[in-house]
Amino acid sequence: MKLSPITKRNIIRILPFGFISLVFACLFLWIEYAAIGDQTNTPESAIQITPQVLLFALSGITIIGLLIGTIEILFLEKLFVKKSFLVKIVSKFFIYTLFFFLVILINYPIAASIELNTSVLDDRVWDKYFEFFFSITHISAIIQLVFSLLISLLYSEISENLGQNVLLNFFTGKYHNPKSEHRVFMFVDMKASTSIAEQLGHVAYFEFLRSYYFDLANPIVKNLGEVYQYIGDEIVISWKLSKGIANNNCINCFFEMKKELFKKRESYIKKYKVFPEFKAALHCGEVTTGEIGALKKEIFFTGDVLNTTARIQGLCNTYNAEFLVSNTLKNQLNFGDDYKIKALGKHQVKGKSELIDIVSIDLNNG
């Protein structure tokens, strides 16, 4: 069964929780071993480390990390989506601390039964657990789990704030040295945003924009797009050329964003008394990609293609069109009967000497 892009993205976001938990579990075990030394120095409340216990412990902590990642990405993230960074971290910290007490209650007796080679229902197992519960070993275990959790949550929040794959690219140094790439860019601009802002006021308009961006997210991910920048009411979406033209992802992204937003129309009207609509332009070309910035680093694209895409989008008003695409990109896509394409001819755009050939694209049932 083929996984959807949204499912793949969720899995990629969940995996670091398991990996970080495993790495810190190994680190803390090594520190304890270095500090305690001989097994005879191990406190009575602690489990004696045997190969079987070690395998169970490391497997268990990895599974716990993955479980926390799943809860975080699929449930708690949505619950705290409108909360500040500090409120998110502190609230989740207390929720997961309670969760850890429950996890230890389940896992410690199992590990003790493996060490004692007996049933988990044996009285010796539970005597050992009660001794452990009121010991420094219990506190140490909680601190270790909470520390791993804190690092995982920080990684997740920072990764989301920087953008898809950006933090990973920084760690791997993928764009430490500038490189040339062929990319597709879509500039998406909200219609009548100035009048909407005046109508709603600054605070309500901010909430309006947050809802708008949130509702457009899934269609972007589904069609393998990457959000490059949010600029006021404008979104710049990018694809590597091969991903953008595969299955017409860059074209489908626009229409699926419209569809997804329209599903929420009644909600917008009820809450804000206005419904957001947008226009967009698509173009492709070569860009230089690399890390840039002295006080704040980011992955940066530079090239004529960005300026040209912005200029094409400016022609939407000229033609009263919602979606314009350069002929350069159109010729690399395979259109079926689902689309109607209207040639608009060649145009001189600001900053370019050569003429740009553009088309408008709509759905046949649109």
Side-chain angles (χ1 to χ4, degrees):
M1 184 179 68
K2 188 176 180 180
L3 298 177
S4 71
I6 293 175
T7 302
K8 287 180 182 178
R9 181 173 184 266
N10 286 338
I11 290 173
I12 290 171
R13 295 178 63 203
I14 289 168
L15 287 177
F17 283 83
F19 178 75
I20 290 171
S21 296
L22 176 61
V23 168
F24 279 99
C26 292
L27 178 63
F28 283 124
L29 282 171
W30 180 81
I31 291 172
E32 285 187 2
Y33 177 80
I36 293 173
D38 194 283
Q39 289 272 37
T40 56
N41 296 322
T42 303
E44 286 295 321
S45 57
I47 302 291
Q48 295 285 339
I49 299 299
T50 65
Q52 293 89 344
V53 170
L54 181 63
L55 178 62
F56 172 78
L58 294 181
S59 300
I61 201 68
T62 303
I63 292 171
I64 290 168
L66 293 173
L67 179 60
I68 288 172
T70 302
I71 295 170
E72 171 66 23
I73 301 303
L74 299 184
F75 301 104
L76 288 188
E77 185 178 72
K78 295 176 182 177
L79 184 63
F80 291 100
V81 67
K82 293 187 178 180
K83 304 298 182 182
S84 69
F85 180 80
L86 182 61
V87 170
K88 285 180 185 179
I89 294 296
V90 172
S91 300
K92 292 175 184 179
F93 175 84
F94 284 108
I95 291 172
Y96 286 124
T97 299
L98 293 174
F99 173 75
F100 286 146
F101 277 106
L102 179 61
V103 165
I104 290 173
L105 173 62
I106 295 171
N107 282 276
Y108 185 92
I110 297 174
S113 69
I114 294 173
E115 178 199 11
L116 299 172
N117 194 27
T118 186
S119 166
V120 73
L121 300 177
D122 193 303
D123 288 341
R124 291 177 297 161
V125 170
W126 290 98
D127 288 342
K128 191 175 182 72
Y129 172 75
F130 288 120
E131 182 180 0
F132 162 78
F133 187 84
F134 296 102
S135 72
I136 190 67
T137 309
H138 188 199
I139 297 173
S140 174
I142 289 292
I143 291 173
Q144 291 175 27
L145 288 170
V146 167
F147 185 81
S148 298
L149 169 67
L150 188 59
I151 297 299
S152 298
L153 290 176
L154 285 172
Y155 177 90
S156 178
E157 287 295 328
I158 292 170
S159 180
E160 282 303 291
N161 279 302
L162 287 177
Q164 298 153 270
N165 302 321
V166 173
L167 187 58
L168 181 61
N169 289 333
F170 277 131
F171 283 150
T172 60
K174 181 177 180 180
Y175 295 118
H176 183 67
N177 295 313
K179 57 174 63 178
S180 294
E181 295 181 329
H182 288 275
R183 281 189 167 265
V184 177
F185 286 91
M186 180 191 288
F187 280 54
V188 180
D189 187 39
M190 187 190 297
K191 295 179 181 180
S193 58
T194 303
S195 61
I196 293 173
E198 290 175 351
Q199 176 182 333
L200 295 178
H202 295 300
V203 175
Y205 182 63
F206 184 88
E207 291 296 328
F208 177 79
L209 274 181
R210 181 149 57 183
S211 299
Y212 171 71
Y213 289 147
F214 184 82
D215 292 334
L216 295 182
N218 274 353
I220 295 171
V221 173
K222 182 180 176 182
N223 290 283
L224 307 181
E226 301 171 15
V227 173
Y228 171 45
Q229 288 178 331
Y230 294 107
I231 310 169
D233 60 357
E234 186 174 67
I235 313 173
V236 181
I237 306 167
S238 178
W239 294 259
K240 284 189 175 179
L241 182 62
S242 58
K243 288 186 177 181
I245 64 176
N247 302 314
N248 291 337
N249 282 324
C250 60
I251 299 291
N252 293 335
C253 182
F254 173 82
F255 292 109
E256 290 187 22
M257 285 194 298
K258 282 187 63 179
K259 182 179 178 182
E260 187 67 26
L261 204 58
F262 193 78
K263 290 179 183 176
K264 310 290 177 63
R265 181 181 176 85
E266 293 302 320
S267 175
Y268 277 96
I269 297 298
K270 182 179 180 180
K271 186 173 183 180
Y272 302 107
K273 306 293 188 289
V274 65
F275 176 68
E277 296 182 281
F278 57 85
K279 55 187 183 291
L282 269 175
H283 184 40
C284 66
E286 187 176 2
V287 292
T288 299
T289 311
E291 294 178 22
I292 198 169
L295 301 178
K296 177 182 179 295
K297 290 190 178 294
E298 62 178 283
I299 304 298
F300 189 74
F301 300 119
T302 180
D304 179 66
V305 60
L306 287 104
N307 179 62
T308 302
T309 309
R311 301 300 181 191
I312 294 173
Q313 194 237 46
L315 293 171
C316 286
N317 291 336
T318 303
Y319 287 100
N320 193 28
E322 287 193 326
F323 192 30
L324 298 180
V325 179
S326 71
N327 218 46
T328 304
L329 177 59
K330 188 212 76 167
N331 291 337
Q332 299 185 63
L333 297 166
N334 294 312
F335 292 99
D337 297 331
D338 295 333
Y339 304 96
K340 52 184 177 186
I341 302 169
K342 181 181 178 182
L344 299 177
K346 296 184 177 182
H347 296 266
Q348 182 79 54
V349 296
K350 187 177 179 180
K352 286 190 69 68
S353 56
E354 71 238 39
L355 299 177
I356 300 296
D357 204 353
I358 61 173
V359 299
S360 67
I361 297 180
D362 201 352
L363 295 175
N364 270 324
N365 59 352

